Amino acid sequence: MPHCNGGGYRDPSAVAAMRRTKAEGGWGVIFTEQTEIHPTSEVAPYIEQHLWEDKDIPALANMAEAMKSCGALAGIQLAYSGINGPNLYTREVPLAVSPGPILTFHPDPVQARALDKDDIRDLQRWFRIAFRRSQQAGFDLICLYGAHGFGIFQHFLSRATNQRTDEYGGSLENRSRFVREVVEIAREETGGEMGITLRLSLHEAGALGLSNAELRDFIAMNADLPDLWDLAHGTWHDCSGTSRFKEEAAQEDLVRGIKALTPRPVVGVGRFTSPDAMVRQVKQGILDFIGAARPSIADPFLPKKVEEGRIEDIRECIGCNICVSGDMTGSISRCTQNPSFMEEWRKGWHPERMRPKGASETVLIVGAGPAGLEAAHIAARRGYHVTLAEAGKVLGGRVAMERRLPGLSAWGRVADYRTGQIAPLPNMETYLDSRLSADDVLAMGAEHVAIATGAVWRRDAVARRHLAPIATDAAMPVFTPDDLMAGGGPTGGRVMLYDDDHFYMASVLAELLIARGCAVEFVTPAVKVAEWTENTLEQHFIQARLLDLGVTVHTSKAPEAIHDRGATLGCTWTGRASDLACDAVVMVTSRIGNDALFQALQAHRGAWEGAGIRSVRLIGDAAAPAPIAWATYAGRRFAEELDAPDRGDAPAFRREIAGLEPLPSLLP
Ligand code: ADP
Ligand code: SF4
């Protein structure tokens, strides 16, 4: 399935190499991300693809070639964003089906003007040119984007965004006219040589939205319009929900029965990672093809593993949407489960094949959280003799704890996949219940040591709002997420839950505390709860859930002091103080890396050589606490860089710099 990756036009070779990996992994059809067809519609600051001029063709041709390298069909998703494109980069006046404010993730103070009849002819000509260029670039399939609220085809079809009174508005037949005309142009322009797929939303919410019933009417009326119906639920937030809010195959009810309305095949998505769920949907006649974006990111080799019956080797997506956050932040996507995602070209990492080991023989990994497990797995796969020592009684570190929190059970797959992979490796020794000291590490004498000892949550409110501890009366019980995950913390009464972390943890603990019978006062200096989860498409769901559960939300507030019966809150705008009574406090603020073992080894540097130690690295949360994806990446990097040549002061990855155009002479 088409999916953004935060690299887009800026990182063409990185994106092409990422998609070549999927080709190798056995996918039948591979699509680009959203490719904008004309400068009058673009979605900066988000980084997608452009097909605005002939000079955009070579980058896309590279990608098509990479996609087709192992026999897959290559598809390009063509988009015109209409009411969804603010044109912050091109500065063109946005054109939409009907006029109105641009509907993006940010309330950009920009409105679109309505397409008049001449504009519609222009737009159809731009699509025609894009079809020609797509064919020139070597693609086999064209996907017309009209899903997630993002594409002009949906904007024409939906009464919410189409208030026209001409032949393109009003009845469903009229609203269908534009897409019918564009499909006809596509067939004409490509001489029937390219497959045309139509990606539409299964259900758009709201009284005027293109409902599931109306979508079915549209498909019945236009049964053989595209060569493939590609159906995806509602908004992007609905379609790509996290595992906390959406089950696998969550779109089944919306898509069931659509196949009977059309002779054309139907493809759908649903964060499919279980071959049983996939086979069931095909056998029951719900879908003809299984579509996947995130499962193909987490495991580009998923089809090959299914084909070869290696089900236990599938690296299952955990549904965390960290990949989405790379696009939302315009950086570059990363994947919690597959640290090689978007590093295939930049670093030469592969999801399945590892470089053979270098001259050294032995590696010791201390700590079996996501960083330690990944480091151990990859180092062992490279051929080193690896010893993994874990202080606790189970492998997994933080995910062994967090998987027991409400809605986070899928996160356990980070540990399960790696534990399963290392178990049969003969060059891997794993020790539980083994808290190592510096003397232990020196006595073990491995040539390379990774200290992946994790982090602990702070108790003193220090994070972003407070850079120093706040005054706290010892009579008030103050807990951290570590206390609650270990089974401690409040079991009733009024609890102030202070969130200056802004990711998932505080809201998950709010659910836990409610389940324990507590009244929860959620205090955050942000203007909404779990603000960073905008980047994982969850914020709306989280805020709604907390309100539904009866959590009292205090935004733009932070505790300035904790006293014996509550806290003094300060307004982040005015500084005005107010009192909040509570029986206990839970601080979800920041974490401190457990680097004591690393520091102790540094203090004994003189003893390393005698012990046979050549390097000691601090990795993962122990070095700098961050989301789980940062830890698996750190583990992979440690294992990849064993015996690697020193890159000196150069960046640790390859970069691609766009070719320079000549600088014109100065104006008179
Ligand atoms: P990360 O996300 O960086 O992998 P985690 O907190 O998930 O970090 O995992 C760190 C792991 O290290 C925990 O399971 C913890 O029990 C273990 N650990 C901490 N100190 C030691 C030590 N001295 N010896 C062995 N294991 C340790
Ligand atoms: Fe799945 Fe998370 Fe990887 Fe995205 S980042 S593909 S949601 S595991």
Side-chain angles (χ1 to χ4, degrees):
M1 281 295 138
H3 67 73
C4 56
N5 46 70
Y9 65 82
R10 187 195 55 207
D11 299 299
S13 293
V15 182
M18 176 268 285
R19 294 218 157 87
R20 187 175 58 199
T21 316
K22 295 187 202 256
E24 253 190 276
W27 297 90
V29 181
I30 304 166
F31 277 97
T32 66
E33 62 271 55
Q34 159 166 348
T35 302
E36 296 160 354
I37 64 159
H38 196 263
T40 50
S41 183
E42 51 90 14
V43 296
Y46 306 103
I47 301 177
E48 313 298 330
Q49 296 290 343
H50 296 154
L51 191 48
W52 296 347
E53 306 175 71
D54 285 349
K55 69 180 182 185
D56 290 312
I57 294 176
L60 287 157
N62 270 359
M63 182 138 68
E65 196 183 326
M67 290 164 162
K68 295 195 292 190
S69 59
C70 297
L73 295 176
I76 181 165
Q77 183 183 49
L78 298 182
Y80 192 86
S81 298
I83 200 71
N84 194 246
N87 296 350
L88 301 180
Y89 176 72
T90 62
R91 299 179 177 174
E92 298 288 353
V93 172
L95 299 172
V97 178
S98 292
I102 294 297
L103 307 172
T104 53
F105 298 109
H106 310 285
D108 294 311
V110 177
Q111 296 204 188
R113 89 169 160 77
L115 292 151
D116 63 22
K117 294 286 181 53
D118 289 340
D119 296 321
I120 290 182
R121 299 286 89 83
D122 285 345
L123 178 53
Q124 293 182 334
R125 190 178 66 255
W126 299 333
F127 269 108
R128 182 184 289 279
I129 297 169
F131 298 145
R132 190 185 314 149
R133 288 185 175 134
S134 301
Q135 198 167 25
Q136 273 175 313
F139 289 98
D140 305 298
L141 296 152
I142 285 167
C143 167
L144 299 176
Y145 194 22
H148 302 147
F150 291 162
I152 195 90
F153 302 102
Q154 180 176 359
H155 304 160
F156 268 102
L157 286 172
S158 165
R159 285 172 300 146
T161 42
N162 183 349
Q163 288 104 37
R164 300 179 75 95
T165 51
D166 61 6
E167 68 269 32
Y168 289 96
S171 66
L172 181 58
E173 184 168 0
N174 276 0
R175 283 179 276 133
S176 312
R177 189 177 309 278
F178 180 77
V179 63
R180 281 200 310 270
E181 289 175 349
V182 171
V183 172
E184 205 175 301
I185 292 168
R187 297 214 190 280
E188 199 180 282
E189 190 60 35
T190 61
E193 293 288 312
M194 298 182 76
I196 311 298
T197 83
L198 185 51
R199 182 155 231 221
L200 294 179
S201 276
L202 276 164
H203 178 74
E204 196 186 17
L208 295 174
L210 184 75
S211 66
N212 192 247
E214 209 178 15
L215 173 80
R216 286 169 193 254
D217 290 344
F218 170 76
I219 293 177
M221 280 165 61
N222 300 281
D224 54 6
L225 183 65
D227 296 305
L228 175 73
W229 295 102
D230 171 358
L231 304 173
H233 182 26
T235 63
W236 190 21
H237 298 67
D238 291 324
C239 185
S240 296
T242 56
S243 54
R244 187 173 165 196
F245 294 98
K246 303 266 179 193
E247 298 290 326
E248 182 175 8
Q251 310 186 14
E252 187 169 324
D253 288 346
L254 290 169
V255 80
R256 186 185 290 112
I258 288 185
K259 255 174 63 55
L261 305 174
T262 168
R264 302 299 198 202
V266 175
V267 63
V269 288
R271 212 178 61 250
F272 291 111
T273 57
S274 143
D276 288 339
M278 301 178 202
V279 169
R280 187 181 57 74
Q281 291 226 347
V282 173
K283 282 201 167 156
Q284 291 181 353
I286 296 165
L287 295 176
D288 293 288
F289 294 102
I290 296 297
R294 288 170 296 172
S296 78
I297 292 173
D299 196 342
F301 276 62
L302 189 151
K304 268 230 147 58
K305 290 175 183 175
V306 173
E307 187 178 34
E308 293 167 2
R310 293 164 48 214
I311 307 305
E312 66 290 348
D313 289 339
I314 295 174
R315 199 184 309 101
E316 285 184 277
C317 169
I318 69 166
C320 62
N321 279 2
I322 283 293
C323 49
V324 173
S325 75
D327 185 59
M328 297 294 277
T329 55
S331 46
I332 198 158
S333 287
R334 49 165 101 218
C335 170
T336 301
Q337 277 286 59
N338 174 14
S340 70
F341 178 62
M342 295 306 284
E343 299 293 4
E344 302 87 348
W345 179 86
R346 297 206 316 168
K347 290 194 156 171
W349 294 1
H350 191 275
E352 301 298 312
R353 284 192 303 279
M354 311 302 153
R355 253 186 290 276
K357 77 170 192 60
S360 334
E361 297 295 335
T362 51
V363 176
L364 168 66
I365 315 281
V366 187
L373 281 172
E374 175 72 6
H377 174 215
I378 303 301
R381 289 279 305 278
R382 288 191 61 195
Y384 293 95
H385 186 279
V386 177
T387 306
L388 174 63
E390 163 56 45
K393 293 189 185 332
V394 290
L395 300 177
R398 61 182 288 188
V399 294
M401 309 279 280
E402 292 183 26
R403 72 187 305 170
R404 300 203 302 260
L405 292 172
L408 300 189
S409 62
W411 295 32
R413 294 171 179 180
V414 174
D416 296 344
Y417 167 73
R418 289 165 178 83
T419 309
Q421 294 295 302
I422 60 177
L425 297 177
N427 52 331
M428 184 67 236
E429 286 172 69
T430 304
Y431 297 95
L432 290 173
D433 234 343
S434 304
R435 180 174 296 280
L436 300 194
S437 64
D439 286 342
D440 296 329
V441 173
L442 290 167
M444 291 172 85
E447 288 166 272
H448 300 285
V449 181
I451 306 293
T453 42
V456 290
W457 286 92
R458 296 184 73 122
R459 206 175 289 275
D460 54 8
V462 170
R464 295 175 172 85
R465 174 76 183 163
H466 296 298
L467 301 178
I470 59 171
T472 302
D473 188 322
M476 172 63 75
V478 177
F479 301 99
T480 71
D482 294 318
D483 298 327
L484 271 69
M485 287 190 282
T491 52
R494 180 168 300 276
V495 179
M496 181 183 84
L497 180 59
Y498 174 51
D499 181 21
D500 197 12
D501 170 55
H502 310 286
F503 198 13
Y504 59 91
M505 182 55 83
S507 63
V508 167
L509 293 183
E511 289 188 47
L512 180 75
L513 290 166
I514 291 279
R516 288 183 181 181
C518 305
V520 177
E521 307 283 342
F522 191 108
V523 176
T524 176
V527 294
K528 51 186 145 185
V529 305
E531 191 167 35
W532 199 79
T533 63
E534 290 285 8
N535 295 313
T536 54
L537 308 178
E538 290 173 293
Q539 196 283 328
H540 178 90
F541 295 114
I542 292 175
Q543 186 123 9
R545 179 167 290 177
L546 296 197
L547 295 177
D548 283 344
L549 287 173
V551 171
T552 308
V553 174
H554 306 261
T555 54
S556 305
K557 297 241 168 33
E560 301 300 329
I562 310 262
H563 46 81
D564 59 349
R565 283 191 302 265
T568 304
L569 303 184
C571 168
T572 56
W573 306 112
T574 63
R576 209 168 289 136
S578 56
D579 275 330
L580 180 69
C582 63
D583 306 306
V585 171
V586 175
M587 293 283 185
V588 185
T589 50
S590 63
R591 292 181 289 155
I592 302 176
N594 295 324
D595 66 351
L597 175 58
F598 178 76
Q599 299 303 347
L601 284 165
Q602 292 294 329
H604 289 88
R605 242 194 141 101
W608 289 11
E609 200 179 333
I613 295 176
R614 292 170 50 197
S615 74
V616 178
R617 292 262 306 272
L618 183 67
I619 66 168
D621 288 334
I628 298 164
W630 276 244
T632 51
Y633 173 84
R636 174 85 190 222
R637 182 169 180 183
F638 167 80
E640 287 279 351
E641 291 181 355
L642 289 168
D643 294 318
D646 186 358
R647 292 179 67 96
D649 294 330
F653 55 91
R654 288 166 79 190
R655 291 168 67 218
E656 198 155 41
I657 297 182
L660 288 180
E661 294 284 327
L663 197 63
S665 50
L666 293 177
L667 291 174

